[in-house]
Amino acid sequence: DPMLEDFRAVAGSLTYGAPRIPIVSTLTGEQATAERLCSPEYWVEQVRGAVRFADGVRTLHAQGVRAYLELGPDGVLTTMASDTLAAEDQPVADVVAGFDAVAVPVLRGDRDEQSAIMTALAELHVRGVTVDWEAVLTGGRRVELPTYAFQRRRFWPDGAGARVGNLAAAGLAATGHPLLGAAVGLAGSDGVLLTGRLSLGSHPWLADYVVMGSVMVPGSVFVELAVRAGDQAGCDVIEELTLTTPLVLGERNAVAVQVWVGSADESGRREVSVHARSAEAADEEPWVEHATGVLTAGDRAAVSFETEVWPPRGASVIELDGVYERLAEGGLEYGPVFRGLRGAWRGSEGEVFAEVVLPEQVVSGAGSFGVHPALLDAVLHAVPFVGLDDAEGGRLPFSWGGVCLHAGGASVLRVRLVRTRGDAVSVVAVDGGGGLVVSARSLVLRPVASEVLAAPGGGRDVLFQVEWTSSVGLPAADALPAAVLGQDTLGVASMLRAGGDPVPVHADLLSLAEAGPVPNVVLAEAVSGRVDGVAESVHELTSHVLDVLQGWLADDRFADSRLVFVTRGGVVAGEDGEKAPDPVVAAARGLVRSAQSENPGRFVLVDIDDELSSSVLAGVLASGEPQMAVRGGEVWVPRLARVTPDSNAGGDVRSWDPEGTVLITGGTGGLGGLFARHVVAERGVRRLL
């Protein structure tokens, strides 16, 4: 077998500094003799007896063995050997016989044999085991390592802009920008659309910007995108730019970015917006707006400050020791690329001066940007020194005003920050020679909301739930022309008649259609008889409601009318203490909600109690709300609300009964196994099914 011959060659290349490798039996847990191994009785016992693997490992360890190489289909025994040594207070890291103890598998189920065996040899080598590399790497040669410390210097081009492909063939124009790959003019207007793609693979420096544990696209990136879009549209001033939704990057997923610039109005102002979504998203998946603002031309205020003497005369040094550690405590964890703040000083009039430098890892790409986002973001690291109250934690840019780029490609900035009003500051930045680079009339920073960053996508996937609220106003309305469908067991017709208008009651849709013009509002009851049990009642009521829904949609005579399903006890909408909903009525309501989603504006759901009045009902029917509930004369409506982590972190936690049984579905899978171990170790559960 050629593979066996290769394996023998590799095994022969290992030297342990001992004359031989002892053979330890897992039947006895002790060193085996040749006579015992050649006995047929031994192998019968080996099949029938217990496997004393742990005893065998302990015996090897006692004999000074510190290298364990598993010749098996996967790495199961390697883990068991390491656990055995650790359990005997014999850590694998013990240094004996000149090298650390090491346990590695030769074969792995998740990779090919050649990669697995070479990885095993490399692991043995770096852990002190002598490997005859000349036997393993036949034909190789030795090279000397440099005598100086490793210095990493990147020679390959960065950014997506280097891989633009044939954009002209697609009707697009290249932008030459690292963040935006293409631009196209919009037909029928003088608007512009710029597109790009962001990921940690194409822009690895973004991984150094972590907010509340999530890698987020910095606000300075949106400023850079707006500046480039302004250049494309002939606008050189960002009049305003508001960051509406954080853009969170996944570890492997890329996001597609669109920068839209609208047509110029009479004053030359253009709206701008930045949208993004997953690069692998289907066409029907919506784009999320992350920034919106206004671009304009002209009005570039000639702002600057004195830099012939640096630091400025009379300025006092601000101590920067621990500044990034304090920012990390507030949720802003900056990696090396974004740690550009080199010095800060407080001026005699309360202003703050700072010097920021673009780190070496990305300085070669500075010329491709207006202002490299890492450099512009480093300017903001000095903002806390102007006197903003940071008691609520870290702050992120929220709104920019009057931003002008005066010169591009800077790698060093000297900055003057002045607090203007509230939590806003003005920014003026020059290069090392005093040349104006960028200025902002106003920059507002706000504390970051941790729940918005809870999921990849910057809040797009944050969990929401339906909450009923009574904070809704009803329009003042007279009784509407209406009709009632069915038996009117809830007395809705008589209630509406109290308003003065006749309200006919029709047994079915056919009699309603034949009676003449169909009124704008038709009310149909969905109530439970509960005669034959819950299951039978659910089938009966939902079948009836389905017939009404299908009949209503199939007849064009009802096209201009709304069908209002009136229920009682079908939903919990009011204050605490309300009874659980009737499952029969709730099932019918769920069916109607499905019909509402497929046919917007055609159906309405109203759940009532015993205190409904004609005036409230008239307001409900005139409100235009698709779902409502009336409790004690008060109207409740459902609204989506973000689910936030429990703020009462120190409160009661649900206890797990250690004598009870926890049922885990899919418990043999990877996640099920992890969960099983978790509930045992962390919750004290002792019985699992």
Side-chain angles (χ1 to χ4, degrees), residues 14-200:
L14 303 177
T15 303
Y16 295 94
R20 62 187 177 86
I21 300 177
I23 297 178
V24 174
S25 168
T26 56
L27 176 64
T28 64
E30 299 175 351
Q31 186 168 341
T33 62
E35 293 78 12
R36 186 73 189 277
L37 293 178
C38 293
S39 168
E41 291 78 13
Y42 171 82
W43 294 105
V44 173
E45 295 177 21
Q46 177 70 265
V47 174
R48 298 174 61 183
V51 179
R52 300 178 63 180
F53 178 79
D55 291 338
V57 172
R58 295 188 187 100
T59 299
L60 288 172
H61 187 83
Q63 296 187 7
V65 174
R66 293 298 182 269
Y68 300 85
L69 188 68
E70 178 179 352
L71 309 182
D74 212 329
V76 177
L77 297 182
T78 298
T79 303
M80 294 172 60
S82 301
D83 291 344
T84 299
L85 295 173
E88 292 296 312
D89 295 326
Q90 300 166 342
V92 178
D94 282 351
V95 179
V96 179
F99 56 86
D100 293 352
V102 56
V104 297
V106 170
L107 298 179
R108 301 298 299 269
D110 59 348
R111 64 196 68 173
D112 62 86
E113 295 172 352
Q114 183 176 5
S115 299
I117 197 168
M118 292 304 295
T119 301
L121 291 175
E123 177 71 13
L124 292 169
H125 175 73
V126 300
R127 296 292 294 274
V129 179
T130 302
V131 178
D132 185 358
W133 288 110
E134 292 183 355
V136 177
L137 304 173
T138 56
R141 63 184 180 88
R142 291 180 177 270
V143 296
E144 293 294 329
L145 290 176
T147 57
Y148 51 85
F150 286 103
Q151 297 176 350
R152 295 176 175 84
R153 184 177 178 188
R154 184 177 178 86
F155 293 93
W156 299 104
D158 291 311
R163 301 184 295 274
V164 296
N166 188 1
L167 295 177
L172 306 172
T175 63
H177 194 277
L179 304 177
L180 295 168
V184 62
L186 301 178
S189 71
D190 58 349
V192 179
L193 180 67
L194 299 94
T195 63
R197 184 184 176 104
L198 301 179
S199 73
L200 299 185

Side-chain angles (χ1 to χ4, degrees), residues 569-606:
V571 65
V572 176
E575 303 293 346
D576 295 340
E578 190 172 341
K579 293 193 305 182
D582 185 332
V584 178
V585 180
R589 287 179 58 88
L591 181 59
V592 176
R593 286 200 305 272
S594 297
Q596 285 180 321
S597 64
E598 298 173 0
N599 304 274
R602 298 296 304 276
F603 304 108
V604 179
L605 272 170
V606 179

Side-chain angles (χ1 to χ4, degrees), residues 356-677:
V356 296
V357 177
L358 195 60
E360 183 180 355
Q361 300 96 307
V362 290
V363 71
S364 61
S368 302
F369 294 88
V371 178
H372 195 290
L375 186 65
L376 182 57
D377 189 83
V379 171
L380 310 184
H381 304 170
V383 169
F385 301 124
V386 302
L388 294 181
D389 180 15
D390 285 329
E392 298 177 85
R395 291 174 176 263
L396 295 178
F398 168 70
S399 178
W400 299 76
V403 179
C404 299
L405 176 66
H406 304 271
S411 59
V412 177
L413 292 179
R414 294 175 174 176
V415 188
R416 179 176 182 263
L417 301 169
V418 178
R419 187 170 182 175
T420 56
R421 54 179 176 77
D423 53 359
V425 296
S426 65
V427 181
V428 179
V430 300
D431 59 21
L436 191 58
V437 175
V438 64
S439 62
R441 181 186 67 254
S442 173
L443 167 61
V444 178
L445 295 98
R446 297 283 171 81
V448 60
S450 59
E451 67 271 12
V452 177
L453 303 175
R460 290 174 296 185
D461 300 323
V462 170
L463 185 62
F464 285 81
Q465 66 181 3
V466 175
E467 292 183 355
W468 288 80
T469 176
S470 60
S471 57
V472 59
L474 293 180
D478 298 328
L480 297 175
V484 172
L485 193 65
Q487 302 299 319
D488 192 26
T489 58
L490 298 178
V492 175
S494 59
M495 189 177 305
L496 289 174
R497 291 187 186 118
D501 291 332
V503 180
V505 178
H506 300 278
D508 51 35
L509 290 175
L510 180 60
S511 63
L512 171 65
E514 293 178 347
V518 179
N520 292 334
V521 175
V522 176
L523 298 97
E525 294 179 342
V527 295
S528 170
R530 301 295 295 270
V531 176
D532 299 322
V534 175
E536 293 79 4
S537 297
V538 167
H539 294 160
E540 180 181 355
L541 182 58
T542 53
S543 297
H544 168 70
V545 170
L546 180 61
D547 290 340
V548 174
L549 290 169
Q550 292 176 334
W552 183 270
L553 294 173
D555 197 325
D556 291 340
R557 290 174 289 186
F558 306 135
D560 297 328
S561 302
R562 287 182 299 153
L563 181 58
V564 180
F565 283 91
V566 183
T567 63
R568 174 172 290 171
V571 65
V572 176
E575 303 293 346
D576 295 340
E578 190 172 341
K579 293 193 305 182
D582 185 332
V584 178
V585 180
R589 287 179 58 88
L591 181 59
V592 176
R593 286 200 305 272
S594 297
Q596 285 180 321
S597 64
E598 298 173 0
N599 304 274
R602 298 296 304 276
F603 304 108
V604 179
L605 272 170
V606 179
D607 196 86
I608 65 174
D609 59 8
D610 295 332
E611 302 181 31
L612 181 65
S613 65
S614 60
S615 59
V616 171
L617 182 56
V620 164
L621 299 179
S623 67
E625 290 281 347
Q627 297 180 44
M628 286 162 286
V630 181
R631 298 291 185 268
E634 193 173 23
V635 178
W636 296 72
V637 294
R639 294 289 187 263
L640 280 179
R642 180 177 285 113
V643 177
T644 58
D646 187 6
S647 58
N648 185 23
D652 295 335
V653 179
R654 177 182 295 180
S655 60
W656 293 58
D657 182 6
E659 302 301 324
T661 301
V662 173
L663 170 66
I664 303 177
T665 60
T668 58
L671 291 177
L674 290 174
F675 183 74
R677 286 190 288 272

